[in-house]
Amino acid sequence: MSHAALFAVTLLITLLALSFWLTQRQEARQQSARLQQHRQVAQRCLDLLQALQLHRGLGAMQGAGNLEQRTRVARQLDSLWLNWPGASLQLPALQQDWPQLRRKPGDFDAH
């Protein structure tokens, strides 16, 4: 085998290996990004659930302190709904019912 052919084969193998390595690296980055997005959505769901439960518990309580806390929680929920990520991650039934729950915080069953 000539030196030129040997060099060409070596170069081809090196380029194929580099291409494979770069592809694997890109796939690992994409997987990591998807995993991070799933974690963020799970955390946002937990935040939403906790805030809804707190709003539910405060709904029946009277008093200035409870009203202030309930209003703060309602604003937090407004923000969570408003900043919900991506159309494919919508929770339409829940999101659609939130304004009614916000207006009637004492409606324990609706929560």
Side-chain angles (χ1 to χ4, degrees), residues 2 5 7 9 11 13 33-34 39 50-51 56 62 64 72 74 79 81 83 85-87 95 99 104 106:
S2 71
F7 177 75
V9 169
L11 182 61
I13 291 172
R34 281 191 298 270
R39 284 183 185 139
Q50 288 173 339
R56 179 184 189 199
Q62 302 301 317
R72 184 175 44 79
S79 176
W81 287 124
N83 297 314
Q95 194 170 25
K104 297 180 182 176

Side-chain angles (χ1 to χ4, degrees), residues 37-52:
Q37 183 184 24
H38 291 298
R39 284 183 185 139
Q40 288 174 347
V41 169
Q43 183 61 52
R44 191 175 290 259
C45 287
L46 287 172
D47 293 344
L48 186 65
L49 179 61
Q50 288 173 339
L52 279 170

Side-chain angles (χ1 to χ4, degrees), residues 29-104:
R29 283 184 188 153
Q30 289 173 347
Q31 178 65 20
S32 177
R34 281 191 298 270
L35 185 59
Q36 179 64 24
Q37 183 184 24
H38 291 298
R39 284 183 185 139
Q40 288 174 347
V41 169
Q43 183 61 52
R44 191 175 290 259
C45 287
L46 287 172
D47 293 344
L48 186 65
L49 179 61
Q50 288 173 339
L52 279 170
Q53 289 298 325
L54 183 56
H55 189 264
R56 179 184 189 199
L58 292 169
M61 296 182 177
Q62 302 301 317
N66 292 327
L67 177 60
E68 182 180 323
Q69 187 178 5
R70 187 172 63 232
T71 301
R72 184 175 44 79
V73 170
R75 282 194 302 265
Q76 178 188 1
L77 282 162
D78 289 342
S79 176
L80 285 169
W81 287 124
L82 182 64
N83 297 314
W84 194 256
S88 64
L89 302 174
Q90 293 298 320
L91 302 173
L94 294 173
Q95 194 170 25
Q96 173 180 338
D97 292 339
W98 167 239
Q100 182 179 356
L101 291 175
R102 194 181 201 295
R103 286 189 300 274
K104 297 180 182 176

Side-chain angles (χ1 to χ4, degrees), residues 12-26:
L12 179 62
I13 291 172
T14 302
L15 289 175
L16 286 173
L18 180 62
S19 174
F20 177 77
W21 178 74
L22 288 173
T23 301
Q24 292 299 315
R25 217 173 122 189
Q26 179 65 22

